[in-house]
Amino acid sequence: MPLKTREFGAEQPYWPAGPFKIRLPFIHYRWETPEMIQGLIMFVVGLAMIPLLEKYLGMPYEAALAFTFVAGLGYILPALLGVPLVPGWITPAIPVVLLYLKGFEPGPDAIKAMFALQLEVTFIFLFLGVTRLGSKLVDIIPNSLKSGIIIGAGIAAMMGELKVGGRIDATPVSLIIGSLISAYVLFSLSFKNVVDSNPLAKKIANFGMVPGMILAMVVGWSVGEYPLPDIQWGITHPDFALMWQYLTFTVGFPGWDVFLLAIPTAVIAYVIAFGDIIVGFTLVKRVDHLRSDESIEDSVDRVHLVTAMRNCLHAFLAPWPGLAGPLWTAAHATVAERYAMGRKAMDSIYSGGGTFWLTGLVALFVLPLVTLFKPVLPIALSLTLVLTAYICIMVGMEQLKNSVERGVAGIVAVTLAMPDPKSTVYAVAIGLILYFLIERPKLLGKHNPADEVIFADGEEESQGQAARAAAKEAAAKSPSETV
């Protein structure tokens, strides 16, 4: 039991600290065993960034391992500072970030480019968090452009895995089986029906990606797609001295041209991340009404500030191709589902997320776990990207209201998914041009969305025809008749 207990219907105890609310395990919330077990396995997803650090930033494994420790410190900040979301990367933006990094030579150039991008993301979150303009900015961005970016990020993620020489091409059996099992557990309607009546299925569902990931690893070892692990005992020793050689303090800071080139990618990353914030709080609200014993504060501004802190930490101490995002959707959904089971299952929404990532941070130093998962790190990354691709395409399509938006979004998505470092710039430019030329009923000046006539299918088309007929009839009448 924690030292400070929550009264029924009140907010979880905390220490006030300006815009933040500090909560510590055993003092402000209890330790949750199921989340601890998940953390001991799912921390491998954090390690899955190591192959990208090695390939795109040109650093050795030991330095990349030290980077993951810095990331681990960032993961614990949201629950520590009063954010009820389980954090992760800006996962849908990873393919876009990798396209950006392909324009730079691995090593000092790529590190400078990653620093510039991450610092810009920091400034965006910080500015919008302090001024509280985050939601207003996203409302200004055309819906077709936002959805096209999300869908394009999903397509890029999937194509990166499916391309010749990609990980699914190299290790098809383990990754296809792992992807199918993970997708079935997370998204299948038939599995949800089984969960309602089968206790074992319900327990499996509580672990989200874990069953598919473990099965993929076992299959990969069994069929020889991955080498068997060389398990070692003791604690890990991240090489922080070597890590320093791959920071901007050593390699130098980027020029203004690099900062300018990073702007479109930074903006796209923020748009995707804001979508994650909306998804995260939506998941919280879905279960909040089931738990009248706790009042959960949904401060979007605090999420912005904490995410800015995490990206700033990465920019200077561990440039990170995954960026620091406000939500790990799969893990947060799992925590929310357990939270809905009642206070006996999970004391507080903060105790679930806090326990999960504190365990993940400790697991980074458990050498047997790290060496066990080291040969199969690509599996964790691939499963994350494949599932992200599905979610991005699903969510992006759901947000499109008519055929005109779907057409513009499709062009933006295809352009964004092109294997070109400047595809992000092209996608944003094309999306804005098509929005003004095709979607707006008035090319210049203000317009009323209610006056728009949509040429769509089915019911919308008939409504559009009726509106046009009524307009013609009104035009044919005299001024006195129309009054």
Side-chain angles (χ1 to χ4, degrees), residues 400-456:
L400 297 169
K401 300 180 179 67
N402 53 66
S403 60
V404 176
E405 287 190 351
R406 287 192 285 271
V408 174
I411 297 298
V412 172
V414 172
T415 305
L416 184 67
M418 291 171 53
D420 188 315
K422 296 182 179 179
S423 63
T424 54
V425 180
Y426 300 149
V428 173
I430 290 174
L432 290 174
I433 292 172
L434 291 180
Y435 168 73
F436 282 101
L437 289 179
I438 297 177
E439 292 189 53
R440 288 173 60 95
K442 296 180 180 179
L443 188 60
L444 300 174
K446 295 183 179 180
H447 69 280
N448 184 0
D451 295 335
E452 296 182 10
V453 178
I454 304 301
F455 295 90

Side-chain angles (χ1 to χ4, degrees), residues 178-380:
S179 298
L180 290 176
I181 296 300
S182 296
Y184 181 73
V185 171
L186 289 172
F187 309 120
S188 173
L189 297 178
S190 62
F191 184 72
K192 290 180 180 179
N193 290 330
V194 175
V195 168
D196 294 335
S197 59
N198 190 308
L200 178 60
K202 190 172 185 178
K203 291 181 179 179
I204 293 174
N206 285 339
F207 290 96
M209 286 176 56
V210 171
M213 186 177 297
I214 292 177
L215 183 60
M217 293 175 180
V218 172
V219 171
W221 287 323
S222 301
V223 301
E225 289 183 342
Y226 289 95
L228 293 174
D230 178 19
I231 300 178
Q232 303 173 20
W233 300 96
I235 61 174
T236 59
H237 298 281
D239 197 333
F240 294 102
L242 180 61
M243 179 189 81
W244 195 263
Q245 302 302 313
Y246 295 88
L247 301 179
T248 52
F249 302 110
T250 302
V251 302
F253 291 86
W256 289 110
D257 57 329
V258 179
F259 280 101
L260 291 174
L261 189 60
I263 290 175
T265 305
V267 173
I268 287 175
Y270 172 77
V271 172
I272 294 173
F274 191 87
D276 284 343
I277 294 174
I278 295 174
V279 171
F281 280 122
T282 299
L283 291 173
V284 170
K285 290 177 181 177
R286 287 177 59 190
V287 298
D288 188 28
H289 71 280
L290 302 175
R291 292 284 302 269
S292 57
D293 60 286
E294 180 179 11
S295 175
I296 302 175
E297 182 185 17
D298 54 349
S299 174
V300 174
D301 298 325
R302 186 178 301 132
V303 176
H304 276 75
L305 294 175
V306 174
T307 307
M309 293 171 60
R310 292 176 56 216
N311 277 288
C312 185
L313 179 71
H314 273 294
F316 287 98
L317 297 180
W320 197 252
L323 302 174
L327 184 74
W328 181 2
T329 307
H332 180 67
T334 302
V335 169
E337 288 298 321
R338 274 211 346 107
Y339 178 77
M341 297 178 185
R343 191 166 185 175
K344 289 185 178 179
M346 183 183 295
D347 178 39
S348 168
I349 193 74
Y350 301 98
S351 64
T355 300
F356 180 88
W357 272 125
L358 280 169
T359 303
L361 179 62
V362 173
L364 289 173
F365 292 94
V366 182
L367 188 58
L369 287 176
V370 173
T371 53
L372 172 67
F373 293 126
K374 183 178 179 179
V376 289
L377 290 181
I379 289 180

Side-chain angles (χ1 to χ4, degrees), residues 37-105:
I37 295 174
Q38 288 189 63
L40 290 173
I41 299 173
M42 295 301 290
F43 87 101
V44 68
V45 175
L47 293 178
M49 188 55 60
I50 291 179
L52 298 185
L53 293 170
E54 293 175 324
K55 179 178 180 180
Y56 290 93
L57 299 189
M59 64 178 57
Y61 174 84
E62 293 74 14
L65 182 61
F67 272 32
T68 64
F69 173 75
V70 176
L73 293 177
Y75 295 141
I76 68 175
L77 288 181
L80 174 67
L81 299 178
V83 174
L85 308 180
V86 180
W89 309 333
I90 308 180
T91 309
I94 290 178
V96 182
V97 174
L98 297 185
L99 285 174
Y100 163 75
L101 289 177
K102 284 181 180 179
F104 302 90
E105 188 71 22

